[in-house]
Amino acid sequence: MNTENIRKKFVELYGEAGALFTSPGRINLIGEHTDYNGAFVFPGAVDKAMVAEIRLNGTDKIRAFALDLGESAEFGLREEDAPAESWARYVFGVAREIQKRGHQIGGFDTVFAGDVPLGAGMSSSAALESTFAFALNELFSLGIDKFELAKIGQATEHNYVGVKCGIMDQFASVFGKEGHLIRLDCKSLEYEYFPFKPVGYRLLLVDSVVKHELASSAYNKRRESCETAVAAIAKRHPEVKFLRDAPMAWLDEVKSEITAEDYMRAEYVIGEVQRVLDVCDALERGDYETVGDRMYQTHYGMSKLYEVSCEELDFLNDLAKELGVTGSRVMGGGFGGCTINLVKDELYDSFKAEVHKRYAEKYGREPKFYDVVISDGSRRLA
């Protein structure tokens, strides 16, 4: 991310330089729709990030400029000062959530920009929240721990943006570590770093550039299916609070008591819990073939059992398999967005060219490609 334009604009608007902070977007290698089932996700921070220059201004006002949009906003720090601009609500929300936790902050000036692609499932909003949470914590010497910074970002989404997200995106943005993925237990919030140094392979996101409208209603229905299966299993095994707690054999015991659809949804989740653990073991051995195999299994499960894929994503996944890509799956909630692909170096160029050609021929639109490298989380740059 080139910071030159940010610095130039900052001085132009506010007179003198401030401090630079950054937080990255993220990918999730495997572990999809597992967070609300009390299981594991397996994200990593990427080399695409938001960057903000910030300087305290000694007032009770925030003056913000979104460089990518060419828009400015000015607002106070009280609840009734909420700005109208949707992008400014992220900055305002972080400031409010910090105050709600009993910390004193004042006004500041900021210019920010980013190269996290919008709509590609890399969580540009979490990167923005994490940048400001991390920066304000440091500039005002608040002493907030990193987990709380992630929760501040999550609460901003809930209370000021209207998105009931889990903790994964903000967690990955704050806790990211170069060359490592992070297994986060969504039930206990314990986490562990695993080495991700795929020598001879590259991670490539292929953006289908489609987003089907089903997503939010379908998401709620999938959650209900999981809860129905848990309730049925818990009658026999009261210790089961989430699908993560149940082996497949316990799901099979209640197969006749739940609908075929609810059974399929639960079957996918229980399988996905195991696949995350398999991938962790494989990475410790440096076994990227097993990692790739489990990625394909996840795509199959999301497409055929959880039914959150779509024709375009299935086409991209089939094409990856046909062209010899080591691993490929839909990344994110589904119904559009990207596939994440683990591609051998020697296949990389030909894979991109062939996908570009065949996807455009079939769907009349060009896919987008994003190379990602696993990188560090929130930090001060200068």
Side-chain angles (χ1 to χ4, degrees):
M1 173 79 206
N2 186 350
T3 59
E4 210 172 287
N5 292 343
I6 294 173
R7 305 224 83 162
K8 195 169 143 196
K9 190 68 184 177
F10 193 91
V11 172
E12 182 189 309
L13 288 175
Y14 310 121
E16 55 184 291
L20 275 179
F21 294 88
T22 187
S23 289
R26 61 105 190 110
I27 53 98
N28 186 35
L29 187 71
I30 199 160
E32 219 66 81
H33 293 280
T34 46
D35 53 351
Y36 53 85
N37 285 296
F40 306 103
V41 289
F42 202 45
V46 297
D47 57 338
K48 313 267 185 287
M50 299 302 278
V51 176
E53 185 160 3
I54 304 174
R55 191 176 46 126
L56 307 186
N57 61 23
T59 74
D60 59 356
K61 293 275 192 294
I62 296 171
R63 297 189 295 176
F65 188 83
L67 190 60
D68 298 327
L69 300 173
E71 290 180 17
S72 61
E74 184 171 325
F75 43 90
L77 290 160
R78 298 184 307 261
E79 198 65 26
E80 60 270 24
D81 297 329
E85 300 85 355
S86 56
W87 61 265
R89 292 182 72 84
Y90 291 100
V91 182
F92 175 76
V94 168
R96 287 296 305 150
E97 289 298 336
I98 288 173
Q99 290 174 296
K100 286 182 195 173
R101 287 159 173 74
H103 301 286
Q104 296 291 312
I105 62 170
F108 56 89
D109 299 330
T110 184
V111 173
F112 67 89
D115 60 357
V116 186
L118 297 174
M122 277 189 265
S123 302
S124 54
S125 59
L128 183 60
E129 292 147 5
S130 301
T131 301
F132 280 96
F134 186 91
L136 296 178
N137 184 42
E138 182 164 312
L139 292 171
F140 288 102
S141 305
L142 302 176
I144 302 171
D145 70 46
K146 285 167 86 171
F147 242 120
E148 199 58 35
L149 294 178
K151 288 177 182 171
I152 283 165
Q154 181 191 26
T156 296
E157 295 270 1
H158 290 190
N159 299 327
Y160 296 93
V161 185
V163 176
K164 298 292 182 203
C165 64
I167 193 73
M168 174 176 75
D169 297 349
Q170 292 82 3
F171 172 85
S173 189
V174 172
F175 281 84
K177 184 177 173 185
E178 185 183 352
H180 291 79
L181 298 175
I182 321 163
R183 186 176 72 196
L184 173 64
D185 184 328
C186 294
K187 185 161 72 167
S188 68
L189 294 185
E190 293 171 330
Y191 64 93
E192 192 177 341
Y193 290 98
F194 286 81
F196 186 78
K197 299 188 174 76
V199 177
Y201 299 87
R202 285 160 78 171
L203 272 184
L204 179 69
L205 303 190
V206 181
D207 188 348
S208 67
V209 295
V210 296
K211 201 73 194 155
H212 293 282
E213 283 311 305
L214 286 158
S216 54
S217 58
Y219 173 85
N220 293 335
K221 279 193 71 181
R222 301 302 183 279
R223 287 193 76 145
E224 284 163 22
S225 284
C226 294
E227 285 157 12
T228 301
V230 166
I233 294 166
K235 285 180 187 159
R236 287 181 166 79
H237 305 279
E239 67 272 28
V240 173
K241 303 282 187 287
F242 295 99
L243 277 176
R244 176 260 180 92
D245 303 324
M248 205 70 87
W250 291 1
L251 176 63
D252 288 335
E253 288 172 3
V254 300
K255 191 170 186 178
S256 61
E257 296 159 34
I258 59 177
T259 66
E261 185 176 275
D262 289 348
Y263 177 86
M264 275 188 351
R265 306 300 188 238
E267 182 187 0
Y268 162 75
V269 172
I270 292 171
E272 185 72 345
V273 173
Q274 186 57 49
R275 284 188 287 274
V276 175
L277 299 175
D278 291 349
V279 164
C280 292
D281 290 344
L283 286 177
E284 297 209 295
R285 300 192 304 271
D287 173 7
Y288 286 89
E289 292 299 317
T290 294
V291 172
D293 174 69
R294 296 304 185 272
M295 289 169 74
Y296 278 117
Q297 286 182 23
T298 291
H299 186 89
Y300 177 86
M302 286 182 78
S303 178
K304 304 296 185 282
L305 301 175
Y306 223 62
E307 297 181 305
V308 293
S309 186
C310 61
E311 185 196 333
E312 296 90 344
L313 291 168
D314 288 346
F315 177 79
L316 289 171
N317 184 258
D318 290 342
L319 197 49
K321 192 172 267 183
E322 180 194 322
L323 296 171
V325 167
T326 303
S328 177
R329 71 173 191 85
V330 50
M331 187 181 83
F335 303 109
C338 289
T339 59
I340 179 169
N341 302 272
L342 184 63
V343 188
K344 284 196 171 117
D345 287 348
E346 60 268 25
L347 286 178
Y348 179 83
D349 291 333
S350 60
F351 173 62
K352 267 178 83 168
E354 192 67 12
V355 168
H356 188 275
K357 176 166 124 332
R358 285 170 61 178
Y359 189 82
E361 277 170 6
K362 186 164 177 66
Y363 295 107
R365 58 170 75 89
E366 297 189 349
K368 293 179 182 168
F369 298 94
Y370 304 109
D371 264 310
V372 291
V373 176
I374 303 303
S375 302
D376 285 324
S378 305
R379 60 200 184 275
R380 185 172 180 156
L381 293 174

